[in-house]
Amino acid sequence: MIKNLKKFNSIILVILLFATFSLSNLNVQAKQRVIVIDPGCQAIENNDKESIGPGTWKWVSEDMVGAKGVTTGTNEYDMNLSVALKVKELLGDEYKVELTRSTNDVNMSNSDRAMIANTLKADLYISIHASGPEDDSSGVKVICQTKDNPYSMTNYRNSRLLADTLLGSITEKAAPKKYEVAESDKLLGINWCTVPNAVVIIGNLKNQEDDEKLADSEYLLKIAEGIVSGIDSYYSQK
């Protein structure tokens, strides 16, 4: 009888260990953070106007194809996708990573892209671009909303932290000559997004110096590594 009791206790112990291990795995999976990466622009032009933010009647039209390298002829949509894919690869299995697009032949608005992050209830939304508003602008710029953004008043603290950690890590890895964090309420991707977010401008293809620098695969790798490191840094500071 004692022998059977010991055998029974051993079976119970194995069951409890298995249940504990299974619950531990479920907790790890449940806590896996969702990161949505948006490779800005696309090969299909879309001149349709869209609202600058939820609940507003101000409509604007943006260039969805993006810039072209002034020297190299590189298409911005190719550049953005290339960096986004590298970021996803480097993030590995630690995060659940979703891209808003994995091909250039899509027709998506800025609000469409942000809504992907909203629908997934993502932890972060990062949009990658390679052009500036002016031809002579250069360097790396990370943009987040202002504190008084009328479309998303609860995301400022985390979005600003994300912008700061992204810029800090990118400058540490890639060492661009110019870099800054800027705040704006004019970007549709920011205004339509309900989760912490930032727009990363990795350079300006319309600027000759930046265009040539962005043609260097090693430099792009450092940019991607900086974005990944910035995400990790963001969570280490929360």
Side-chain angles (χ1 to χ4, degrees):
M1 182 175 177
I2 294 176
K3 185 176 180 180
N4 289 336
L5 183 60
K6 287 182 177 179
K7 185 175 180 180
F8 177 78
N9 287 339
S10 297
I11 293 172
I12 292 298
L13 180 60
V14 169
I15 292 173
L16 287 173
L17 287 172
F18 178 79
T20 302
F21 178 78
S22 298
L23 286 172
S24 176
N25 279 346
L26 286 173
N27 286 334
V28 168
Q29 292 176 3
K31 293 178 181 178
Q32 190 177 39
R33 298 181 175 105
V34 178
I35 312 296
V36 174
I37 306 293
D38 170 46
C41 305
Q42 60 196 28
I44 299 175
E45 182 58 275
N46 183 343
N47 294 315
D48 293 341
K49 289 186 176 182
E50 54 181 320
S51 173
I52 194 171
T56 180
W57 289 100
K58 184 177 180 180
W59 296 73
V60 296
S61 177
E62 292 194 355
D63 174 17
M64 296 305 296
V65 172
K68 200 177 188 71
V70 66
T71 300
T72 64
T74 302
N75 292 308
E76 184 180 354
Y77 52 77
D78 283 322
M79 176 71 65
N80 298 338
L81 181 57
S82 173
V83 174
L85 288 170
K86 179 56 67 175
V87 169
K88 180 177 182 179
E89 177 186 343
L90 293 173
L91 283 171
D93 297 328
E94 183 177 354
Y95 303 95
K96 179 176 175 53
V97 184
E98 299 287 347
L99 298 183
T100 58
R101 66 178 181 90
S102 57
T103 177
N104 292 318
D105 297 323
V106 298
N107 189 359
M108 304 172 67
S109 68
N110 290 289
S111 55
D112 288 338
R113 296 161 189 258
M115 287 303 294
I116 292 175
N118 298 346
T119 301
L120 291 174
K121 297 182 179 179
D123 294 279
L124 294 178
Y125 173 68
I126 299 171
S127 186
I128 299 172
H129 294 262
S131 64
E134 301 172 358
D135 290 354
D136 60 349
S137 63
S138 64
V140 173
K141 180 185 287 189
V142 184
I143 307 173
C144 69
Q145 68 174 79
T146 71
K147 188 174 183 179
D148 299 319
N149 184 290
Y151 313 106
S152 180
M153 298 180 132
T154 60
N155 278 331
Y156 175 73
R157 180 178 174 276
N158 287 330
S159 293
R160 177 67 203 216
L161 174 60
L162 176 62
D164 288 335
T165 59
L166 285 171
L167 185 73
S169 297
I170 291 171
T171 54
E172 182 180 351
K173 295 281 186 180
K177 289 183 180 179
K178 294 182 179 180
Y179 49 89
E180 66 172 317
V181 167
E183 297 182 359
S184 175
D185 294 334
K186 296 180 179 180
L187 302 183
L188 279 69
I190 288 176
N191 293 342
W192 278 96
C193 194
T194 59
V195 306
N197 66 89
V199 174
V200 180
I201 299 177
I202 63 175
N204 184 6
L205 288 171
K206 294 181 285 186
N207 177 284
Q208 183 175 349
E209 185 176 357
D210 274 15
D211 182 29
E212 293 173 353
K213 183 177 288 188
L214 291 171
D216 182 353
S217 59
E218 287 299 317
Y219 182 74
L220 289 183
L221 176 59
K222 290 176 182 178
I223 291 286
E225 290 174 342
I227 293 173
V228 171
S229 180
I231 292 171
D232 290 336
S233 179
Y234 169 82
Y235 282 111
S236 71
Q237 295 183 49
K238 279 184 63 64

